[in-house]
Amino acid sequence: MTTLVGVDALRVAELDLLARRGWFLKFLFSQEEIDDLATAGSVCLACRFAAKEAVLKMLRTCLSGSVPPAQIVLRRSGAGATSVELRGAASERARALGIERVDVSISCERGLVIAVALGTA
């Protein structure tokens, strides 16, 4: 069984300046995510950013690599869990690594966000 892990941590304040730039949001998020984030605060933005970074690391790439972060789509369920949908290059990369399922866990405490991504076959 293949299992890959990615972890990311950041301070919520680190994204405040970048979040004001439209190009940054379009680079990071799908249109559905941008619509969801329109009413969310900086904590939610930081949580999703950290989760995407963790998924990118699990896929053995980086923010400036071959997988556009907007192709990693995160959705919150009614129970508060976050689901991951991989599209395009993200999906192709996961297949190449033998990954069939990606799960994320996100935690935020005192302005620090930590996200863990687990990819399994």
Side-chain angles (χ1 to χ4, degrees):
M1 174 185 236
T2 300
T3 303
L4 296 175
V5 177
V7 178
D8 192 60
L10 67 105
R11 297 202 181 283
V12 172
E14 290 179 55
L15 289 182
D16 287 345
L17 180 60
L18 286 173
R20 294 184 209 132
R21 299 188 171 137
W23 67 266
F24 182 72
L25 293 178
K26 289 180 181 178
F27 172 70
L28 279 181
F29 301 107
S30 68
Q31 189 58 52
E32 304 102 293
E33 291 174 305
I34 290 171
D35 293 343
D36 286 346
L37 288 167
T39 58
S42 59
V43 171
C44 188
L45 178 76
C47 288
R48 289 191 187 204
F49 178 84
K52 285 177 181 258
E53 281 271 37
V55 172
L56 287 168
K57 291 172 182 176
M58 184 271 307
L59 291 173
R60 303 301 184 246
T61 188
C62 63
L63 197 58
S64 61
S66 61
V67 175
Q71 293 182 353
I72 300 166
V73 180
L74 304 171
R75 293 192 180 89
R76 301 270 299 168
S77 72
T82 303
S83 66
V84 180
E85 176 189 349
L86 302 179
R87 298 177 179 170
S91 178
E92 292 169 15
R93 181 75 177 146
R95 272 195 302 277
L97 292 169
I99 299 300
E100 296 175 9
R101 177 185 169 111
V102 178
D103 293 297
V104 296
S105 179
I106 308 166
S107 183
C108 183
E109 181 75 26
R110 296 185 190 140
L112 178 66
V113 176
I114 298 174
V116 177
L118 180 66
T120 56

